[in-house]
Amino acid sequence: MGDAREVMDRLTEAVTTGRDPDVLAELFAEDAVAVTPDGEFRGRDSILGWWGQMIEAMPDAWYEPEHAYEAGDTAIDEGFYRGRNSGPLQLPTGETLPATGREVRIHGVDMATVADGRIVSYRVYYDQMDFLGQLGLLPPA
């Protein structure tokens, strides 16, 4: 296992069972960039803010892996982020939605590029419409 895989596994632990913001902060370079369905976040503090709101929205989340890869300095995971929405959810607009109490299972792919033991580029892809639908936040079809 290489450095990228180890760092990605630590990230997964930090945002699910560990929920440790200090460990999460150690994993990202100061000038890291993250691209998420909610937009682009530049800098460690901005990325930690995004992850913080996800952890707050689903504090009991866990990860169900499907595939894990490593290619050079990049680790790629595909799997399901699961949990109950028991905390407020911040929208990209700045609005905050109260907890729905619903369980969600979000299929996604994460990619982390690592340099000197820290994530410098992070991308996560998941279907926001599916996520909102599972939360019961979409109008009936």
Side-chain angles (χ1 to χ4, degrees), residues 17-105:
T17 56
R19 296 175 191 83
D20 187 335
D22 293 331
V23 171
L24 192 57
E26 291 173 11
L27 296 174
F28 285 92
E30 185 71 37
D31 60 349
V33 176
V35 177
T36 78
D38 295 324
E40 184 176 290
F41 298 88
R42 293 188 164 276
R44 177 188 300 142
D45 292 341
S46 181
I47 296 166
L48 295 180
W50 181 78
W51 266 120
Q53 64 88 23
M54 289 295 286
I55 292 168
E56 182 180 10
M58 295 193 304
D60 69 342
W62 73 96
Y63 183 68
E64 181 183 301
E66 280 195 309
H67 303 283
Y69 305 99
E70 183 178 45
D73 61 358
T74 301
I76 304 164
D77 283 348
E78 178 184 4
F80 293 90
Y81 186 72
R82 300 183 66 169
R84 180 178 302 280
N85 174 224
S86 58
L89 180 67
Q90 284 193 297
L91 299 177
T93 62
E95 295 175 81
T96 301
L97 297 175
T100 65
R102 292 185 177 212
E103 294 225 6
V104 298
R105 184 173 185 249

